[in-house]
């Protein structure tokens, strides 16, 4: 393993660490999963057919490590102690209401749900009108929170091309959705970084 592993780790660890960080994990979990991902990456290097596709391949392995981590968390939750919401809450008074009655209903009203659903459908339709490359750049930037550099390496583009695709996608969506969305909160990150 030795020097080759160390060089690989030093060169790409920040990208992999940031991937886990963007998923909302603690620094300890990010560190542990980054190491786990690099052991898998290093072991699988001999299976890599096209070295030019390394970054995409590396993130595919990183995504698999993330999914395994989620499965482990779900398994732990299945083994957790269950408390019935119908049981009475412990209070000093004798006639306590069920625990569920003390939890506020977080669900939106039917009107709010309908309006939100309509907005989501209009956004989906507008995204389908973008070119596949612009749509992919936008997804990686907004949903996955990748940096310009990561997107450029993954898609085989220059950083300038990535910025151009994101700007053009933002402008197209703003034009298409201006009557339905006062401000595209979804693209707030792109707007801040372009300033």
């Amino acid at each position: 393993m030795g020097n080759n592993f160390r060089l690989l780790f030093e060169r790409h660890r920040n990208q992999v660490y940031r991937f886990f960080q963007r998923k909302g994990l603690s620094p300890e979990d990010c560190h542990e999963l980054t190491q786990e991902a690099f052991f898998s990456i290093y072991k699988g290097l001999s299976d890599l057919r096209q070295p030019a596709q390394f970054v995409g391949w590396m993130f595919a392995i990183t995504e698999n490590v993330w999914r395994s981590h989620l499965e482990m968390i779900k398994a732990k939750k299945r083994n957790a102690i269950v408390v019935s919401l119908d049981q009475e809450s412990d209070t000093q008074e004798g006639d306590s209401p069920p625990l569920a009655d003390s939890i506020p209903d977080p669900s939106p009203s039917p009107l709010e749900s309908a309006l939100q659903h309509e907005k989501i459908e209009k956004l989906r339709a507008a995204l389908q009108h973008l070119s596949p490359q612009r749509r992919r750049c936008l997804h990686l930037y907004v949903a996955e929170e990748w940096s310009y550099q990561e997107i450029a390496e993954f898609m085989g583009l220059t950083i300038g091309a990535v910025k151009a695709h994101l700007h053009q996608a933002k402008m197209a969506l703003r034009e298409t959705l201006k009557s339905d969305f006062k401000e595209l909160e979804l693209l707030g990150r792109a707007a801040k970084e372009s300033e």
Side-chain angles (χ1 to χ4, degrees), residues 19-20 23-25 29 33 36 62-78:
F19 173 89
F20 294 121
K23 300 297 183 186
L25 297 174
D29 285 343
L33 292 175
E36 185 179 329
T62 302
E63 180 83 23
N64 287 338
V65 169
W66 162 246
R67 290 185 191 284
S68 296
H69 179 72
L70 288 180
E71 288 301 318
M72 184 186 71
I73 291 171
K74 286 179 187 176
K76 284 182 181 178
K77 285 183 180 179
R78 283 191 294 265

Side-chain angles (χ1 to χ4, degrees), residues 3 34 50 54-55 85 93 118 139 145 153 157 166 186:
N3 287 338
T34 298
Q50 297 176 344
F54 173 77
V55 173
L85 294 178
E93 298 132 27
E118 185 179 339
H139 171 78
E145 296 183 356
E153 288 177 15
L157 301 170
L166 289 170
L186 180 69

Side-chain angles (χ1 to χ4, degrees), residues 151-171:
I151 297 169
E153 288 177 15
F154 180 72
M155 295 185 68
L157 301 170
T158 65
I159 291 176
V162 169
K163 287 181 179 181
H165 283 312
L166 289 170
H167 177 74
Q168 291 162 351
K170 185 177 103 176
M171 292 299 109

Side-chain angles (χ1 to χ4, degrees), residues 61-122:
I61 290 174
T62 302
E63 180 83 23
N64 287 338
V65 169
W66 162 246
R67 290 185 191 284
S68 296
H69 179 72
L70 288 180
E71 288 301 318
M72 184 186 71
I73 291 171
K74 286 179 187 176
K76 284 182 181 178
K77 285 183 180 179
R78 283 191 294 265
N79 296 331
I81 297 172
V82 177
V83 176
S84 171
L85 294 178
D86 293 328
Q87 97 184 29
E88 293 181 0
S89 59
D90 295 333
T91 62
Q92 304 267 329
E93 298 132 27
D95 51 345
S96 303
L99 190 57
D101 290 349
S102 63
I103 300 172
D105 184 7
S107 58
S109 71
L111 178 60
E112 290 171 328
S113 293
L115 291 172
Q116 186 65 20
H117 180 71
E118 185 179 339
K119 279 186 171 184
I120 289 170
E121 289 307 313
K122 287 181 179 182

Side-chain angles (χ1 to χ4, degrees), residues 169-179 183-184 187 191:
K170 185 177 103 176
M171 292 299 109
L173 289 175
R174 181 171 281 153
E175 182 62 30
T176 304
L177 300 170
K178 67 182 172 188
S179 63
E183 186 56 44
L184 292 176
L187 300 177

